[in-house]
Amino acid sequence: MKKILMMFLALLTVMVGNAAGRKINIMDLPPFERAVIIIKKFETLHRPKDYPYVGYGHRVLPGEPYRRGVQLTEKQADALLRKDLKKFVSLYKAYGKDAVLLSES
């Protein structure tokens, strides 16, 4: 938990580009979007050699359609990350605004 808090503090001044090409402060984004950006930065997109991990840190579970040796596109990996993050945030929804933080511990 300390590690995650330190990571959030270190990234307070990180600037990200938006669709218009302008730079915006990460703290101007909602917590969920901040978490997505931070996870992408530190997890990086897994390659086929990293199997059973695909996308941004998703471990392939039995019955999932992801195959060994297949690289996910950025769009697929982003969608999978958001799906996973929503699932874990919902586990901690009783904690309100801290749900995103707790989902990453």
Side-chain angles (χ1 to χ4, degrees), residues 3-101:
K3 184 176 164 184
I4 293 171
L5 288 173
M6 293 304 290
M7 187 171 33
F8 276 122
L9 290 174
L11 292 171
L12 285 177
T13 59
V14 170
M15 303 296 271
V16 294
N18 66 7
R22 292 177 289 148
K23 296 287 186 180
I24 57 172
N25 189 312
I26 194 170
M27 295 309 291
D28 294 336
L29 299 172
F32 186 87
E33 293 302 320
R34 284 185 237 162
V36 169
I37 290 169
I38 292 168
I39 291 167
K40 284 182 171 185
K41 178 171 177 54
F42 289 97
E43 188 66 42
T44 68
L45 187 58
H46 287 289
R47 298 176 301 237
K49 73 176 185 81
D50 299 322
Y51 192 84
Y53 293 94
V54 297
Y56 293 102
H58 176 83
R59 183 178 166 99
V60 177
L61 301 172
E64 289 185 321
Y66 309 109
R67 299 185 324 265
R68 182 182 302 276
V70 176
Q71 173 77 41
L72 294 182
T73 66
E74 164 62 30
K75 187 175 180 178
Q76 292 170 322
D78 183 76
L80 182 58
L81 170 61
R82 290 170 185 278
K83 177 183 166 194
D84 285 347
L85 189 55
K86 283 178 187 174
K87 178 176 74 173
F88 292 120
V89 167
S90 72
L91 292 174
Y92 296 102
K93 66 182 173 191
Y95 293 95
K97 64 181 180 136
D98 295 327
V100 174
L101 181 61

